[in-house]
Amino acid sequence: MARGTACRIGGEAARRVAASGGREHPGEEALRRVVGTMPAPVWRQDWRDHPLRRPVDVVEAWALLAVGAAIWVGAPVAGLAAGWSMQSHDRAVAVEQAATRDRVDAVVLENAADAASSGYDEGRGIKVHVKVRWVDGDGQRGQGKALVRADTKRGEHTQIWLDEKGRVTTPPLNGTDIWLGSATIGASATALAAGTAAVVGIGVRRVADRRRAAQWEYEWRRMGPDWTRGHA
Protein backbone atom coordinates (compact mmCIF):
# COMPACT_ATOMS: atom_id res chain seq x y z
CA MET A 1 0.00 0.00 0.00
CA ALA A 2 2.80 2.42 0.93
CA ARG A 3 4.63 1.66 -2.32
CA GLY A 4 1.51 2.21 -4.44
CA THR A 5 0.73 5.49 -2.70
CA ALA A 6 4.27 6.73 -3.12
CA CYS A 7 4.24 5.81 -6.83
CA ARG A 8 1.04 7.73 -7.37
CA ILE A 9 2.54 10.74 -5.60
CA GLY A 10 5.70 10.43 -7.72
CA GLY A 11 3.65 10.29 -10.91
CA GLU A 12 1.75 13.39 -9.90
CA ALA A 13 5.03 15.18 -9.19
CA ALA A 14 6.35 14.26 -12.64
CA ARG A 15 3.23 15.63 -14.32
CA ARG A 16 3.60 18.88 -12.40
CA VAL A 17 7.24 19.17 -13.51
CA ALA A 18 6.23 18.74 -17.14
CA ALA A 19 3.45 21.33 -16.80
CA SER A 20 5.83 23.87 -15.23
CA GLY A 21 8.30 23.75 -18.11
CA GLY A 22 10.80 21.42 -16.55
CA ARG A 23 11.26 23.30 -13.28
CA GLU A 24 11.23 20.87 -10.38
CA HIS A 25 10.56 21.78 -6.77
CA PRO A 26 13.31 20.54 -4.39
CA GLY A 27 10.76 18.52 -2.45
CA GLU A 28 9.56 16.86 -5.64
CA GLU A 29 13.11 16.03 -6.61
CA ALA A 30 13.72 14.30 -3.27
CA LEU A 31 10.44 12.45 -3.54
CA ARG A 32 11.25 11.34 -7.07
CA ARG A 33 14.57 9.92 -5.91
CA VAL A 34 12.87 7.98 -3.11
CA VAL A 35 10.17 6.60 -5.39
CA GLY A 36 12.63 5.74 -8.17
CA THR A 37 14.85 3.73 -5.82
CA MET A 38 12.14 2.28 -3.58
CA PRO A 39 12.72 -1.43 -2.97
CA ALA A 40 10.12 -4.18 -2.66
CA PRO A 41 7.38 -3.86 -0.06
CA VAL A 42 8.27 -4.47 3.59
CA TRP A 43 6.80 -7.97 3.65
CA ARG A 44 9.06 -9.02 0.75
CA GLN A 45 12.37 -8.10 2.34
CA ASP A 46 14.11 -7.92 5.69
CA TRP A 47 12.20 -5.30 7.69
CA ARG A 48 15.38 -4.26 9.50
CA ASP A 49 16.88 -2.81 6.28
CA HIS A 50 13.79 -1.18 4.82
CA PRO A 51 14.37 2.55 4.08
CA LEU A 52 10.86 3.46 5.26
CA ARG A 53 11.27 1.72 8.58
CA ARG A 54 10.31 3.77 11.62
CA PRO A 55 11.07 3.12 15.30
CA VAL A 56 7.44 2.13 15.83
CA ASP A 57 7.85 -0.53 13.13
CA VAL A 58 10.78 -2.06 15.00
CA VAL A 59 8.91 -2.05 18.30
CA GLU A 60 5.84 -3.56 16.65
CA ALA A 61 7.86 -6.28 14.93
CA TRP A 62 9.58 -7.38 18.13
CA ALA A 63 6.30 -7.24 20.06
CA LEU A 64 4.50 -9.37 17.49
CA LEU A 65 7.42 -11.80 17.47
CA ALA A 66 7.03 -12.15 21.23
CA VAL A 67 3.28 -12.63 20.83
CA GLY A 68 3.86 -15.37 18.26
CA ALA A 69 6.29 -17.11 20.59
CA ALA A 70 3.75 -16.87 23.40
CA ILE A 71 1.03 -18.43 21.23
CA TRP A 72 3.05 -21.24 19.68
CA VAL A 73 5.40 -22.02 22.57
CA GLY A 74 4.23 -20.35 25.76
CA ALA A 75 0.58 -21.39 25.55
CA PRO A 76 1.27 -25.13 25.07
CA VAL A 77 3.85 -25.07 27.86
CA ALA A 78 1.35 -23.34 30.14
CA GLY A 79 -1.27 -25.94 29.24
CA LEU A 80 1.09 -28.83 29.95
CA ALA A 81 2.12 -27.30 33.27
CA ALA A 82 -1.49 -26.74 34.32
CA GLY A 83 -2.53 -30.24 33.26
CA TRP A 84 0.41 -31.84 35.05
CA SER A 85 -0.33 -29.86 38.21
CA MET A 86 -3.99 -30.87 38.10
CA GLN A 87 -3.07 -34.51 37.56
CA SER A 88 -0.72 -34.48 40.56
CA HIS A 89 -3.41 -32.87 42.69
CA ASP A 90 -6.10 -35.35 41.63
CA ARG A 91 -3.81 -38.32 42.23
CA ALA A 92 -3.21 -37.13 45.78
CA VAL A 93 -6.96 -36.64 46.26
CA ALA A 94 -7.65 -40.11 44.87
CA VAL A 95 -5.21 -41.69 47.34
CA GLU A 96 -6.79 -39.80 50.23
CA GLN A 97 -10.32 -40.73 49.18
CA ALA A 98 -9.42 -44.38 48.75
CA ALA A 99 -8.05 -44.41 52.31
CA THR A 100 -11.06 -42.71 53.89
CA ARG A 101 -14.00 -44.18 51.96
CA ASP A 102 -15.49 -47.64 52.20
CA ARG A 103 -17.70 -49.51 49.76
CA VAL A 104 -20.59 -51.44 51.27
CA ASP A 105 -23.59 -53.38 50.06
CA ALA A 106 -26.96 -51.66 50.43
CA VAL A 107 -30.58 -52.70 49.99
CA VAL A 108 -32.87 -50.47 47.91
CA LEU A 109 -36.01 -49.51 49.89
CA GLU A 110 -38.14 -48.11 47.06
CA ASN A 111 -38.65 -48.46 43.34
CA ALA A 112 -36.39 -46.07 41.43
CA ALA A 113 -39.17 -45.37 38.92
CA ASP A 114 -41.40 -44.05 41.74
CA ALA A 115 -38.63 -41.72 42.94
CA ALA A 116 -37.82 -40.43 39.45
CA SER A 117 -40.12 -37.45 39.92
CA SER A 118 -37.56 -36.05 42.36
CA GLY A 119 -35.07 -35.76 39.47
CA TYR A 120 -31.98 -37.60 38.38
CA ASP A 121 -28.30 -36.89 38.16
CA GLU A 122 -27.55 -36.21 34.49
CA GLY A 123 -23.83 -36.20 35.18
CA ARG A 124 -23.97 -39.91 36.02
CA GLY A 125 -26.43 -40.92 33.34
CA ILE A 126 -30.06 -41.85 33.98
CA LYS A 127 -29.90 -42.41 37.72
CA VAL A 128 -32.12 -41.32 40.59
CA HIS A 129 -31.80 -40.90 44.34
CA VAL A 130 -33.61 -43.58 46.34
CA LYS A 131 -33.67 -44.66 49.96
CA VAL A 132 -31.25 -47.43 50.83
CA ARG A 133 -30.26 -49.33 53.97
CA TRP A 134 -26.85 -50.80 54.76
CA VAL A 135 -24.63 -52.35 57.39
CA ASP A 136 -21.03 -51.12 57.40
CA GLY A 137 -17.88 -53.10 58.19
CA ASP A 138 -18.21 -52.39 61.91
CA GLY A 139 -21.76 -53.73 62.01
CA GLN A 140 -23.33 -50.30 62.24
CA ARG A 141 -26.65 -49.96 60.48
CA GLY A 142 -27.40 -46.90 58.40
CA GLN A 143 -29.99 -45.45 56.08
CA GLY A 144 -29.87 -42.69 53.50
CA LYS A 145 -30.23 -41.89 49.83
CA ALA A 146 -27.98 -43.12 47.06
CA LEU A 147 -27.90 -42.98 43.27
CA VAL A 148 -29.12 -46.07 41.45
CA ARG A 149 -30.24 -46.88 37.92
CA ALA A 150 -33.72 -45.71 37.04
CA ASP A 151 -34.90 -49.30 36.52
CA THR A 152 -33.81 -50.53 39.98
CA LYS A 153 -36.54 -52.27 41.98
CA ARG A 154 -37.25 -52.29 45.68
CA GLY A 155 -35.32 -55.03 47.49
CA GLU A 156 -32.44 -55.13 45.01
CA HIS A 157 -28.87 -54.69 46.19
CA THR A 158 -26.48 -51.94 45.11
CA GLN A 159 -22.96 -50.85 46.00
CA ILE A 160 -22.53 -47.50 47.77
CA TRP A 161 -19.60 -45.56 49.23
CA LEU A 162 -19.46 -44.20 52.78
CA ASP A 163 -17.15 -41.52 54.16
CA GLU A 164 -15.43 -41.54 57.56
CA LYS A 165 -18.63 -40.35 59.25
CA GLY A 166 -20.75 -43.07 57.70
CA ARG A 167 -22.49 -40.81 55.19
CA VAL A 168 -23.20 -41.76 51.58
CA THR A 169 -20.65 -40.14 49.28
CA THR A 170 -19.20 -40.45 45.80
CA PRO A 171 -16.63 -43.10 44.77
CA PRO A 172 -12.94 -42.18 44.93
CA LEU A 173 -11.46 -40.65 41.80
CA ASN A 174 -10.27 -43.24 39.29
CA GLY A 175 -7.78 -43.07 36.42
CA THR A 176 -10.38 -41.87 33.93
CA ASP A 177 -11.50 -39.06 36.24
CA ILE A 178 -7.91 -37.95 36.74
CA TRP A 179 -7.12 -38.02 33.03
CA LEU A 180 -10.24 -36.09 32.03
CA GLY A 181 -9.65 -33.49 34.72
CA SER A 182 -6.03 -32.86 33.74
CA ALA A 183 -6.88 -32.79 30.02
CA THR A 184 -9.68 -30.28 30.58
CA ILE A 185 -7.55 -27.99 32.70
CA GLY A 186 -4.60 -28.25 30.29
CA ALA A 187 -6.72 -27.43 27.24
CA SER A 188 -8.39 -24.53 29.05
CA ALA A 189 -5.05 -23.09 30.16
CA THR A 190 -3.65 -23.37 26.64
CA ALA A 191 -6.67 -21.63 25.11
CA LEU A 192 -6.61 -18.90 27.75
CA ALA A 193 -2.90 -18.20 27.29
CA ALA A 194 -3.16 -18.18 23.49
CA GLY A 195 -6.25 -15.96 23.58
CA THR A 196 -4.59 -13.50 25.93
CA ALA A 197 -1.50 -13.32 23.71
CA ALA A 198 -3.68 -12.80 20.63
CA VAL A 199 -5.53 -9.93 22.30
CA VAL A 200 -2.21 -8.35 23.25
CA GLY A 201 -1.03 -8.72 19.64
CA ILE A 202 -4.16 -6.99 18.33
CA GLY A 203 -3.66 -4.18 20.83
CA VAL A 204 -0.02 -3.76 19.79
CA ARG A 205 -1.00 -3.58 16.12
CA ARG A 206 -3.70 -0.97 16.76
CA VAL A 207 -1.41 1.20 18.87
CA ALA A 208 1.32 0.98 16.22
CA ASP A 209 -1.14 1.89 13.45
CA ARG A 210 -2.34 4.93 15.38
CA ARG A 211 1.27 5.97 16.00
CA ARG A 212 2.15 5.66 12.30
CA ALA A 213 -0.93 7.62 11.28
CA ALA A 214 -0.02 10.39 13.73
CA GLN A 215 3.54 10.52 12.37
CA TRP A 216 2.31 10.70 8.78
CA GLU A 217 -0.09 13.50 9.70
CA TYR A 218 2.66 15.44 11.46
CA GLU A 219 5.04 15.13 8.52
CA TRP A 220 2.36 16.17 6.06
CA ARG A 221 1.54 19.27 8.12
CA ARG A 222 5.25 20.11 8.12
CA MET A 223 5.84 19.57 4.40
CA GLY A 224 2.44 20.58 3.05
CA PRO A 225 2.89 24.37 3.18
CA ASP A 226 6.24 24.19 1.33
CA TRP A 227 4.70 21.95 -1.29
CA THR A 228 1.78 24.34 -1.77
CA ARG A 229 4.00 27.46 -2.01
CA GLY A 230 6.18 25.76 -4.60
CA HIS A 231 3.16 25.47 -6.93
CA ALA A 232 1.40 28.73 -6.10
Side-chain angles (χ1 to χ4, degrees), residues 177-193:
D177 297 329
I178 294 173
W179 184 87
L180 287 176
S182 61
T184 300
I185 293 299
S188 299
T190 300
L192 179 61

Side-chain angles (χ1 to χ4, degrees), residues 47 53-66 204 208:
W47 59 270
R53 182 198 65 184
R54 298 168 182 267
V56 67
D57 299 326
V58 178
V59 173
E60 179 190 24
W62 282 112
L64 293 181
L65 181 63
V204 169

Side-chain angles (χ1 to χ4, degrees), residues 30-72:
L31 180 60
R32 179 176 54 77
R33 288 199 300 269
V34 171
V35 172
T37 60
M38 181 177 293
V42 177
W43 59 268
R44 292 179 56 186
Q45 68 163 23
D46 190 343
W47 59 270
R48 293 173 299 180
D49 298 328
H50 200 281
L52 299 182
R53 182 198 65 184
R54 298 168 182 267
V56 67
D57 299 326
V58 178
V59 173
E60 179 190 24
W62 282 112
L64 293 181
L65 181 63
V67 167
I71 292 176
W72 296 107

Side-chain angles (χ1 to χ4, degrees), residues 107-147:
V107 179
V108 178
L109 301 180
E110 59 183 332
N111 293 326
D114 297 336
S117 59
S118 62
Y120 57 88
D121 190 343
E122 296 180 355
R124 289 177 173 268
I126 303 178
K127 292 187 176 184
V128 296
H129 285 92
V130 297
K131 292 180 181 180
V132 296
R133 183 177 62 241
W134 66 86
V135 178
D136 63 19
D138 297 329
Q140 299 293 324
R141 295 180 179 274
Q143 183 173 315
K145 283 197 170 186
L147 279 171

